């Protein structure tokens, strides 16, 4: 099993997040580091402070040298996919090829309403997501891209310079929608992430993903699986490790430790030591 960590840039300070990432960069067990892509805090007081995920991630790329990094996951409705492709290519260059490209359809109605962003119905959101993922992958991979969809249209579009990782940075698709999200993951993802849920739910969603892979003729072994597990607010790694061990036995490839604010590097060594037997 492999491991990552996640620090949402909400209800925290830049100094505290930076300290965690610098410390994690020195701990070999942590392979990945993640922020999120929201403008309001989630699962807490939505009026609180929240820094922008991609700008924060770019700064963290300059403050680290080893750990791979990404937004878990980027909401497609927040940016035109051609803009996001250029952002991804640039950050992959800035980070010397360490970007993990997390993509999702988005879900936060509150922040969309506040900012005048059209979140749309689930069907509209998923149609936009399907088109957006294809646009991003093609722009990052091909010299020029022409695309005529219902939501996005490109004509001989370029994205230069290309990312360090070829044909493109690994795509992580987050979510568990069985009809659309997992089908898109089967087509495009190198990683599939489930943000929450128990072991039985994960097994069921994995089987659905594999069925979609069979439908399109893709080897499901080409898609690594990851889950996010929350560390309790007391920082006790025991319950967290028990959950990680259960997912490891079920075949999950990567566990991402979701670290609660206030962020402090003090928790990292305890978590890393507790997880070491599972590595």
């Amino acid at each position: 099993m492999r491991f990552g960590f996640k620090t949402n840039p909400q209800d925290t300070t830049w100094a505290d997040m930076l300290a965690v990432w610098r410390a994690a960069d020195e701990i070999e067990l942590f392979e990945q580091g993640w922020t999120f892509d929201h403008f309001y805090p989630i699962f807490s007081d939505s009026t609180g402070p929240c820094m922008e995920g991609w700008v924060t991630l770019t700064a963290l790329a300059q403050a680290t040298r080893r750990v791979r990094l990404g937004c878990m996951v980027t909401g497609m409705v927040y940016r035109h996919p051609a803009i996001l492709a250029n952002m991804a290519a640039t950050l992959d260059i800035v980070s010397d090829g360490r970007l993990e490209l997390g993509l999702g359809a988005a879900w936060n109605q509150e922040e969309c309403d506040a900012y005048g962003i059209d979140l749309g119905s689930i069907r509209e959101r998923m149609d936009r997501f399907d088109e957006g993922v294809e646009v991003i992958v093609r722009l990052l991979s091909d010299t020029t891209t022409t695309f005529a969809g219902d939501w996005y249209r490109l004509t001989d579009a370029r994205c230069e310079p290309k990312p360090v990782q070829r044909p493109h940075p690994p795509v992580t698709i987050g979510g568990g929608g069985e009809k659309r999200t997992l089908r898109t993951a089967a087509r495009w993802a190198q990683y599939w992430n489930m943000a929450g849920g128990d072991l039985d739910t994960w097994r069921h969603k994995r089987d659905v993903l594999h069925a979609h892979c069979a439908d399109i003729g893709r080897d499901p072994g080409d898609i690594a699986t990851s889950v996010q597990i929350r560390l309790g607010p007391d920082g006790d790694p025991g319950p967290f490790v028990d959950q990680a061990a259960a997912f490891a036995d079920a075949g999950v490839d990567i566990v991402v430790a979701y670290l609660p604010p206030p962020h402090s590097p003090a928790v990292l060594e305890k978590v890393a030591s507790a997880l070491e037997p599972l590595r």
Side-chain angles (χ1 to χ4, degrees):
M1 173 166 274
R2 297 142 61 195
F3 299 97
F5 67 96
K6 182 177 181 179
T7 56
N8 290 350
Q10 68 174 49
D11 302 322
T12 189
T13 67
W14 167 243
D16 286 349
M17 274 193 66
L18 180 61
V20 169
W21 278 67
R22 283 177 167 164
D25 199 44
E26 300 299 324
I27 300 174
E28 184 181 353
L29 178 128
F30 294 114
E31 174 184 312
Q32 306 172 340
W34 300 90
T35 63
F36 74 1
D37 188 36
H38 288 283
F39 308 107
Y40 283 17
I42 60 173
F43 312 129
S44 66
D45 180 3
S46 63
T47 68
C50 185
M51 294 180 287
E52 200 279 328
W54 274 82
V55 172
T56 305
L57 193 67
T58 302
L60 292 168
Q62 289 296 282
T64 55
R65 59 176 179 80
R66 179 193 60 83
V67 70
R68 297 183 62 79
L69 41 88
C71 279
M72 185 80 87
V73 286
T74 309
M76 189 63 71
V77 302
Y78 297 137
R79 304 164 191 85
H80 191 288
I83 303 300
L84 183 55
N86 278 269
M87 291 167 55
T90 300
L91 184 48
D92 198 50
I93 293 167
V94 167
S95 65
D96 293 326
R98 290 186 285 139
L99 178 65
E100 300 280 349
L101 182 52
L103 299 173
W107 57 267
N108 195 312
Q109 190 73 57
E110 181 182 15
E111 61 190 7
C112 286
D113 288 347
Y115 285 179
I117 297 170
D118 181 17
L119 181 60
S121 67
I122 293 177
R123 180 174 180 176
E124 290 170 334
R125 208 179 311 164
M126 294 314 303
D127 288 347
R128 194 182 322 183
F129 181 58
D130 285 344
E131 289 188 15
V133 174
E134 181 171 354
V135 165
I136 290 168
V137 170
R138 289 180 58 186
L139 280 169
L140 292 173
S141 306
D142 301 338
T143 302
T144 61
T145 299
T146 296
F147 183 88
D150 294 329
W151 292 92
Y152 305 112
R153 300 183 69 85
L154 284 73
T155 303
D156 295 330
R158 296 179 181 272
C159 177
E160 297 293 343
K162 288 289 188 276
V164 173
Q165 300 178 89
R166 305 295 291 144
H168 56 78
V171 171
T172 295
I173 288 182
E178 296 179 15
K179 293 181 179 179
R180 301 293 299 274
T181 301
L182 293 176
R183 188 179 72 186
T184 302
R187 184 179 179 194
W188 296 109
Q190 283 70 59
Y191 297 92
W192 164 60
N193 176 262
M194 189 176 79
D198 59 24
L199 196 54
D200 288 340
T201 299
W202 179 84
R203 287 192 179 102
H204 172 69
K205 301 291 185 182
R206 176 204 56 193
D207 291 345
V208 172
L209 174 65
H210 287 186
H212 284 304
C213 287
D215 287 342
I216 65 172
R218 187 176 181 195
D219 182 354
D222 292 341
I223 304 173
T225 61
S226 68
V227 296
Q228 300 176 53
I229 301 177
R230 292 175 180 270
L231 184 70
D234 60 359
D236 178 7
F240 169 85
V241 172
D242 290 343
Q243 291 183 67
F247 277 108
D249 289 343
V252 169
D253 298 296
I254 300 170
V255 161
V256 177
Y258 200 143
L259 305 180
H263 294 125
S264 169
V267 72
L268 291 172
E269 286 291 351
K270 289 196 301 182
V271 171
S273 295
L275 289 173
E276 186 63 37
L278 299 179
R279 185 152 70 117

